[in-house]
C-alpha cells in the first residue's frame, strides 16, 4: 500500500519543473513582496530534493512518506526564509531546514534508551503538540505556548522535554551531495584561519572592501568581527536570529565574504607592490 502511495507521489511531483538559479532569485523577490503563489512554485520545484534527503534517513521504524511529509514542512519554512541576496542556490539553503525537520520527527518516533511508559507517553504528547504548533506558527513554539495549549504548567513541560535527547552520527551527511560530514561543520574555537586573516589585515582597508560586499554578507562581517567596536562579537546563532536565518547559513555567508575579502586584499597588495 505504501509503495503505491509513494509511487503515485513521485509521479505527481515529477510534473513540476525545476528552476534555474535566476528563476529562484526572481521568485525570492516576489516572495519578499508577499506573493504566496511564488512561494508555492518554489516549493513545488524542490519537492524532489525532499525525497532525496528523506531517503538518506529511511529506516524500518518510520514511514518514508511520513519523512517526506515532515521534510516538506521544513521546505516550506525555508522558502519563506530564503533571500535572493544570499547568492546561493535555494537547494543549498533549504537542505538544513529539511534535514532538521526530518530528524526531529525521527527522534520523536524512535528511542535508543527506553523510557518508562508514562514518561514516553508524556514526551510523545508534548512533541506532538509542538509539531502542531510549529505548523501553525511557522516556527518553534515556546515552552509557554506549549504549556498553554496543553493546559499544563511551564515547569511540567520543561520537565517532560528534559527526557528527550538526540543521537546523531558525526559521519552523517552535512550537505546535499554528501561531500561534507557533520564533523566538518564543527568550528575549532581555539584557532580559525579566518580570524587570523582578519587580525593581520589592515582593518581600515578591509572596512572599505567590506562596504563592497552584498548587504547580507556585509552585515554578517560587521557583526561577527565587531567593526563598529560598540558591542561584543556576536555568535553565529545571534547573527542568524538578527537576520532571520539559520546559524549554518550565517556561517556559509561568512565563509563566502571572507574568501572575497582575501582575494581582494591579495590583489590590492600585489597592485601596491607592483
Amino acid at each position: 500500500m505504501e509503495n503505491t502511495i509513494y509511487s503515485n507521489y513521485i509521479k505527481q511531483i515529477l510534473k513540476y519543473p525545476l528552476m534555474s538559479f535566476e528563476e529562484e532569485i526572481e521568485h525570492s523577490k516576489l516572495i519578499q513582496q508577499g506573493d504566496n503563489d511564488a512561494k508555492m512554485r518554489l516549493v513545488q520545484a524542490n519537492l524532489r530534493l525532499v525525497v532525496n534527503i528523506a531517503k538518506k534517513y529511511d529506516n524500518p521504524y518510520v514511514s518514508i512518506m511520513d519523512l517526506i511529509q515532515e521534510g516538506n514542512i521544513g521546505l516550506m519554512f525555508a522558502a519563506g526564509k530564503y533571500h535572493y541576496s544570499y547568492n546561493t542556490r535555494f537547494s543549498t539553503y533549504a537542505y538544513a531546514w529539511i534535514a532538521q525537520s526530518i530528524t526531529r520527527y525521527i527522534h520523536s518516533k524512535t528511542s535508543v534508551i527506553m523510557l518508562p511508559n508514562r514518561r514516553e507517553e508524556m514526551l510523545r504528547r508534548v512533541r506532538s503538540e509542538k509539531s502542531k504548533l510549529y505548523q501553525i506558527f511557522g516556527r518553534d513554539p515556546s515552552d509557554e505556548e506549549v504549556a498553554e495549549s496543553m493546559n499544563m504548567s511551564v515547569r511540567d513541560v520543561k520537565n517532560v522535554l528534559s527526557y528527550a535527547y538526540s543521537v546523531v552520527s558525526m559521519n552523517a551527511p552535512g550537505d546535499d551531495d554528501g561531500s561534507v560530514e557533520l564533523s566538518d561543520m564543527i568550528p575549532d574555537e581555539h584557532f580559525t584561519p579566518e580570524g587570523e586573516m582578519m587580525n593581520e589585515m589592515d582593518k581600515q582597508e578591509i572596512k572599505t572592501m567590506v562596504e563592497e560586499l552584498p548587504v547580507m554578507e556585509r552585515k554578517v562581517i560587521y557583526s561577527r568581527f565587531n567593526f563598529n567596536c560598540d558591542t561584543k562579537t556576536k555568535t553565529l546563532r545571534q547573527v542568524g536570529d538578527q537576520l532571520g536565518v539559520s546559524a549554518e547559513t550565517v556561517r556559509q555567508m561568512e565563509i563566502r565574504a571572507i574568501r572575497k575579502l582575501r582575494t581582494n586584499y591579495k590583489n590590492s597588495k600585489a597592485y601596491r607592490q607592483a
Side-chain angles (χ1 to χ4, degrees):
M1 179 65 178
E2 183 182 3
N3 289 338
T4 301
I5 296 175
Y6 175 78
S7 298
N8 290 337
Y9 178 78
I10 297 299
K11 290 178 182 178
Q12 180 64 35
I13 66 175
L14 288 176
K15 297 178 182 179
Y16 300 122
L18 300 176
M19 285 188 182
S20 65
F21 186 25
E22 290 73 20
E23 289 174 321
E24 290 176 350
I25 292 176
E26 290 303 317
H27 278 70
S28 175
K29 292 179 180 179
L30 292 174
I31 293 171
Q32 302 305 315
Q33 299 170 11
D35 190 331
N36 288 327
D37 289 338
K39 179 178 179 180
M40 185 54 63
R41 288 194 296 272
L42 183 61
V43 168
Q44 291 172 340
N46 286 274
L47 290 174
R48 278 173 267 188
L49 170 65
V50 176
V51 173
N52 290 334
I53 297 175
K55 286 180 179 178
K56 296 180 181 180
Y57 293 93
D58 191 20
N59 64 77
Y61 302 105
V62 291
S63 161
I64 183 65
M65 288 306 301
D66 285 342
L67 296 182
I68 291 173
Q69 181 180 359
E70 294 299 318
N72 286 343
I73 294 174
L75 175 64
M76 294 180 66
F77 189 76
K81 289 285 188 180
Y82 179 65
H83 197 280
Y84 55 87
S85 65
Y86 296 163
N87 195 32
T88 186
R89 290 301 301 261
F90 175 68
S91 58
T92 301
Y93 174 80
Y95 186 98
W97 292 107
I98 297 168
Q100 180 187 68
S101 186
I102 291 174
T103 53
R104 279 179 176 170
Y105 177 77
I106 292 174
H107 295 156
S108 72
K109 296 296 182 182
T110 62
S111 177
V112 176
I113 302 174
M114 297 300 295
L115 295 172
N117 289 338
R118 183 174 178 278
R119 289 190 176 186
E120 183 71 38
E121 175 60 20
M122 283 299 300
L123 180 59
R124 186 195 64 77
R125 287 177 54 202
V126 171
R127 278 173 160 169
S128 177
E129 191 65 27
K130 285 192 70 173
S131 179
K132 292 177 184 177
L133 294 177
Y134 178 86
Q135 296 181 45
I136 295 173
F137 298 154
R139 60 171 173 79
D140 279 327
S142 65
D143 292 342
E144 289 76 11
E145 289 168 332
V146 175
E148 181 180 357
S149 180
M150 299 186 69
N151 196 26
M152 294 173 61
S153 70
V154 177
R155 181 178 179 180
D156 287 343
V157 169
K158 289 181 180 293
N159 285 339
V160 171
L161 291 175
S162 70
Y163 306 154
Y165 60 90
S166 297
V167 178
V168 180
S169 170
M170 295 307 295
N171 299 117
D175 64 356
D176 191 22
D177 59 12
S179 60
V180 177
E181 296 181 351
L182 289 181
S183 58
D184 299 324
M185 295 185 176
I186 299 177
D188 182 352
E189 300 294 344
H190 302 290
F191 172 80
T192 61
E194 293 84 4
E196 287 295 311
M197 186 276 293
M198 293 296 288
N199 289 331
E200 292 173 1
M201 295 161 65
D202 184 280
K203 273 205 168 185
Q204 189 56 48
E205 184 174 359
I206 290 300
K207 207 167 185 178
T208 301
M209 295 180 181
V210 169
E211 293 299 323
E212 300 174 357
L213 293 172
V215 175
M216 294 292 282
E217 292 181 9
R218 185 165 68 243
K219 289 181 178 179
V220 168
I221 293 298
Y222 263 78
S223 297
R224 292 285 288 151
F225 293 94
N226 191 19
F227 270 82
N228 290 327
C229 300
D230 55 356
T231 59
K232 291 182 179 180
T233 300
K234 292 182 173 64
T235 65
L236 293 174
R237 183 174 296 278
Q238 288 173 331
V239 179
D241 291 342
Q242 179 183 326
L243 300 180
V245 299
S246 68
E248 174 59 20
T249 298
V250 174
R251 190 183 74 87
Q252 293 293 338
M253 285 194 287
E254 179 180 320
I255 291 173
R256 285 198 303 272
I258 289 176
R259 284 174 179 169
K260 293 175 185 176
L261 292 175
R262 182 185 291 117
T263 299
N264 292 341
Y265 181 75
K266 287 181 179 179
N267 291 340
S268 174
K269 188 174 181 180
Y271 176 79
R272 291 196 303 269
Q273 293 174 346

